Every structure is written in C-alpha cells, then in structure tokens.
C-alpha cells in the first residue's frame, strides 16, 4: 500500500524554488509591460517602494526595503532624477542623509505604472478565486515568518559556536 505524496512534493522544483521562479517570471512580465514608460526593472521597483514606504523616505531605508546595496540604489536614483521622476533632498535632521520625493512628472508616471501593474496582476491572478489568493497570501506570510525564525536560530547557533571556540 503506497501513500500518495502531497501535491507540493510532486513539483519539479521544491515549493520554495517554484516561488522564486514564479517571482522572476512575474517581475519580468511587469518589466516588459512598463517598458513604454521608460522604466527598467530597478527603476520601477524603486518607484513602487518609494510609493509603498512613503515620500520622504531616506535612501538608506529604501535600500533596506529593496534588499540592495547603496551603490546600486544610488545609480538607479540618479537615473530617476535624470528622468525628472524624483528629487533627492538633504534631510534637515541629518545632513548626511537624503530623502526622496516624487516630482510632478514622477507622480504622473507613478499613476501609469500603478495602472499597468494592476492590469498585469489581473492576468497573473486569472483563474484564481479570492479565497485561493487569500490562502496563498497567508501561507506566504507564514513561510516568511518561519524563514526569519530559522535565520535567527542559525545566527544564534553560529554566534554560540564562535564564542565556544574562543
């Protein structure tokens, strides 16, 4: 008598591997969709994150939100500034820090970007119910929490091992 594997164990890649592959495909689809706006992947991601976090976000906070290093972000922000989509202003409280704001033209592009992303998301979600999407969202959040906890445990273990070696 054989027990049938759960569906997620029958995938060609692991479930997590499939999530990564789907993420890359979706990101590429958005990039192709917004290309007429003159936006590369790094530029539209930066604009979306500025909008998500809120204008006045510092460059450092944006880099952390995007999970990238400052030199890469600085290049992208310079390009967005050259396109007149954002302005970088020195933080009054910390002269070493710059805050990011949309220009008038940037807000127009952001509105078009949001519309195009909303359209492509409808294509991504075709054939899925709200219940399925909600269940998936809950599962992704739980996997994220579990992964963060796993990282914390590994870091504590590594620190403990290092202290023992000293």
């Amino acid at each position: 008598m054989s027990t049938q594997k759960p569906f997620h164990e029958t995938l060609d890649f692991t479930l997590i591997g499939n999530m990564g592959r789907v993420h890359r495909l979706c990101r590429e689809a958005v990039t192709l969709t917004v290309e007429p706006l003159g936006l590369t992947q790094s530029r539209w991601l930066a604009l979306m994150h500025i909008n998500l976090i809120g204008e006045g976000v510092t460059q450092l906070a944006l880099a952390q939100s995007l999970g990238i290093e400052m030199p890469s972000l600085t290049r992208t922000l310079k390009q967005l500034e050259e396109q007149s989509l954002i302005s970088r202003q020195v933080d009054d409280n910390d002269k070493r820090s710059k805050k990011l704001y949309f220009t008038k033209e940037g807000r127009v592009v952001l509105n078009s970007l949001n519309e195009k992303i909303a359209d492509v998301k409808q294509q991504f979600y075709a054939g899925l119910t709200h219940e399925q999407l909600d269940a998936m969202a809950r599962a992704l959040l739980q996997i994220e929490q579990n992964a963060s906890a796993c990282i914390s445990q590994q870091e504590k273990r590594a620190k403990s091992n290092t202290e023992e070696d000293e």
Side-chain angles (χ1 to χ4, degrees), residues 7 20 29 71 113:
F7 175 71
L113 177 61

Side-chain angles (χ1 to χ4, degrees), residues 31 34-35 37-46 76 79 83:
T31 299
V34 304
E35 198 172 49
L37 298 175
L39 299 173
T40 61
Q41 179 179 308
S42 61
R43 293 180 201 173
W44 71 258
L45 279 169
T76 298
Q79 292 165 344
Q83 285 182 274

Side-chain angles (χ1 to χ4, degrees), residues 22-86:
V22 170
H23 175 257
R24 287 186 296 279
L25 286 169
C26 291
R27 199 174 53 208
E28 179 64 20
V30 171
T31 299
L32 291 171
T33 300
V34 304
E35 198 172 49
L37 298 175
L39 299 173
T40 61
Q41 179 179 308
S42 61
R43 293 180 201 173
W44 71 258
L45 279 169
L47 291 175
M48 292 302 291
H49 276 254
I50 294 168
N51 188 49
L52 178 70
I53 299 167
E55 285 188 87
V57 63
T58 64
Q59 291 182 178
L60 180 59
L62 181 61
Q64 290 169 339
S65 174
L66 289 165
I68 62 174
E69 300 293 324
M70 279 297 291
S72 298
L73 178 61
T74 302
R75 183 173 48 253
T76 298
L77 294 176
K78 183 179 181 198
Q79 292 165 344
L80 288 169
E81 214 171 19
E82 288 169 355
Q83 285 182 274
S84 299
L85 300 181
I86 64 162

Side-chain angles (χ1 to χ4, degrees), residues 124-140:
F124 295 163
Y125 298 164
L128 297 167
T129 66
H130 288 293
E131 292 78 15
Q132 289 172 313
L133 292 169
D134 287 347
M136 184 175 153
R138 284 187 202 81
L140 285 173

